[in-house]
Amino acid sequence: MKIMTTVTVKTHIISGFLGAGKTTLLQALLAQKPEHETWAILMNEFGEIGIDQQLLPNAQGYEVKELLGGCLCCTSQLPMQIALSRLIQEKKPDRLFIEPTGLGHPAQLIEQLTEPHWQSQVNMRALLTVIDGSRLHDTDWISQDLYQDQLKAAQIVLVSHTNSMSEVDQRVLSDLKDEYLTGIQTWIMAEQGNIQIEQIDIPHRGIQRKIMPLIHIQKNFSVDETLPEIKQFPYHYVESSNGYTVAGWKFSKRWQFDFYDLLDVLCEQENWLRIKGIFNTNQGWMTFNFNPEQLNYKSGAENIDNRIEVITQHDRDWASLESAILHCRIDSAEKTQ
């Protein structure tokens, strides 16, 4: 009896903000295609007129499919699923590159392509995000939610336009490496897409975040009980990656904290790599950004919630930290509820 085997397609998502250099990178990667292989590209243009497809090779061994109008990351997924399925079934590529529009949220796309339905067809590789190194000094540019979402989703970040980076750009890049050290495995400095396919041909690694009730509430559940699914504040979460652990808390924006008590709690912590938070305090909204060299805090804009994240490489007594934070709350007699 003949046994049928299914060959999955190595699939790369290349994300990045508008003008970051995704197409230049893609051109450099496609130039490395072995002669005997077929490589496919699924591109997404937000507008109705395709431009990028004309910049890519359309010779023997390359298959380019373009989806126009809307974003395949966040609009109806049916056109993307049909196009992707047809591309795989009809062309049977050895390797597939997906380039979402620069306005896309790649986390939503990777979530779809790692669902059971696709596991027999695609072999997801590490999600790559391209950033323009020469624009890192532009705080309005890099502070956009979409820009940060693309970084949060990445396992690999390629920094383009490195020859044009200023000293400020270099400092901001160093800060970004610290901020995203738990999620991003590799940072690649590349000019004109100068990169080898082997550098990005590593398996996709999902990060699981467990969202749980506050730790003191968890103690009310027996060992055998399943913790409830958390859909509203307050909650606690933990995730681990690359040898680091991130523990975080989110509370309602209505909760208010004593600023100096909270500052004391944070300054008393030990064995951490990064502490970031924003709190509604009796001194107004305050942001905290601590690293081992500097303990920075300043007034900030009103946020959608109170939140804090601690990054460490050590085991910690998270219950003790949670208790200390909750005791800084001043808006209610029941501070720990």
Side-chain angles (χ1 to χ4, degrees):
M1 182 177 66
K2 186 177 180 179
I3 299 175
M4 301 296 293
T5 58
T6 301
V7 178
T8 56
V9 181
K10 286 188 173 182
T11 301
H12 306 264
I13 296 175
I14 300 178
S15 78
F17 217 56
L18 300 168
K22 300 189 298 298
T23 303
T24 300
L25 168 64
L26 196 49
Q27 289 173 320
L29 292 172
L30 293 177
Q32 302 172 45
K33 184 188 76 67
E35 288 187 12
H36 64 281
E37 290 189 0
T38 296
W39 286 10
I41 307 99
L42 180 62
M43 307 190 72
N44 180 209
E45 289 274 20
F46 200 78
E48 297 294 342
I49 300 177
I51 300 296
D52 286 347
Q53 182 174 356
Q54 310 306 317
L55 305 177
L56 298 175
N58 201 16
Q60 186 69 25
Y62 298 99
E63 296 293 338
V64 182
K65 174 65 177 176
E66 198 165 37
L67 288 176
L68 301 177
C71 171
L72 61 81
C73 299
C74 47
T75 58
S76 171
Q77 301 298 320
L78 187 58
M80 183 275 290
Q81 293 187 26
I82 292 174
L84 181 57
S85 182
R86 284 180 177 172
L87 192 57
I88 292 174
Q89 297 300 321
E90 295 175 5
K91 305 303 180 182
K92 296 179 172 54
D94 299 283
R95 193 180 297 274
L96 169 66
F97 298 90
I98 300 177
E99 183 189 329
T101 170
L103 300 175
H105 297 261
Q108 298 177 20
L109 182 56
I110 198 74
E111 183 179 347
Q112 292 225 356
L113 294 182
T114 52
E115 290 179 351
H117 167 73
W118 288 107
Q119 290 178 5
S120 63
Q121 300 182 65
V122 301
N123 175 3
M124 289 306 306
R125 317 310 286 165
L127 193 149
L128 185 150
T129 293
V130 184
I131 62 174
D132 182 348
S134 68
R135 297 199 64 174
L136 295 179
H137 63 275
D138 187 340
T139 55
D140 290 338
W141 182 261
I142 68 171
S143 63
Q144 297 182 60
D145 290 341
L146 177 56
Y147 192 97
Q148 296 177 21
D149 287 347
Q150 292 178 349
L151 280 175
K152 289 176 183 176
Q155 279 179 249
I156 302 173
V157 169
L158 183 137
V159 184
S160 66
H161 303 102
T162 54
N163 290 348
S164 302
M165 292 178 67
S166 65
E167 290 185 9
V168 176
D169 293 325
Q170 296 285 358
R171 288 199 299 271
V172 173
L173 178 61
S174 178
D175 290 341
L176 286 176
K177 289 180 178 180
D178 287 340
E179 183 172 356
Y180 292 97
L181 55 78
T182 60
I184 297 173
Q185 291 176 274
T186 306
W187 296 77
I188 301 174
M189 307 294 287
E191 189 65 30
Q192 297 299 317
N194 184 20
I195 184 176
Q196 297 301 307
I197 189 68
E198 293 80 11
Q199 293 176 265
I200 67 169
D201 194 10
I202 60 177
H204 165 71
R205 182 210 64 236
I207 299 177
Q208 292 190 346
R209 170 177 286 193
K210 295 167 59 179
I211 299 179
M212 303 166 286
L214 296 182
I215 299 174
H216 78 278
I217 297 176
Q218 295 177 40
K219 295 177 181 178
N220 297 326
F221 293 84
S222 69
V223 177
D224 298 329
E225 284 186 276
T226 301
L227 294 176
E229 181 180 356
I230 302 302
K231 297 183 179 180
Q232 60 185 15
F233 303 130
Y235 61 76
H236 165 58
Y237 56 87
V238 176
E239 62 184 42
S240 297
S241 178
N242 298 341
Y244 300 95
T245 296
V246 180
W249 290 261
K250 289 189 179 182
F251 313 108
S252 168
K253 67 182 294 183
R254 295 184 179 89
W255 290 20
Q256 191 174 61
F257 297 80
D258 183 278
F259 169 70
Y260 290 107
D261 287 349
L262 185 61
L263 181 61
D264 286 344
V265 168
L266 299 184
C267 290
E268 289 166 359
Q269 300 308 304
E270 299 177 348
N271 297 325
W272 50 268
L273 296 173
R274 190 92 173 195
I275 298 177
K276 296 188 70 175
I278 180 166
F279 283 89
N280 176 13
T281 79
N282 55 350
Q283 303 292 321
W285 282 89
M286 303 292 294
T287 63
F288 302 86
N289 190 352
F290 288 11
N291 61 58
E293 286 75 39
Q294 290 183 317
L295 306 181
N296 294 320
Y297 56 88
K298 63 181 181 179
S299 298
E302 179 178 311
N303 199 41
I304 60 174
D305 54 49
N306 289 280
R307 62 177 64 186
I308 182 172
E309 277 192 345
V310 180
I311 302 175
T312 181
Q313 289 181 295
H314 301 274
D315 292 332
R316 294 290 306 270
D317 180 4
W318 298 121
S320 176
L321 175 56
E322 178 182 289
S323 177
I325 292 173
L326 291 176
H327 276 89
C328 298
R329 186 180 170 195
I330 58 175
D331 63 298
S332 170
E334 289 290 332
K335 294 182 180 181
T336 60
Q337 296 301 313

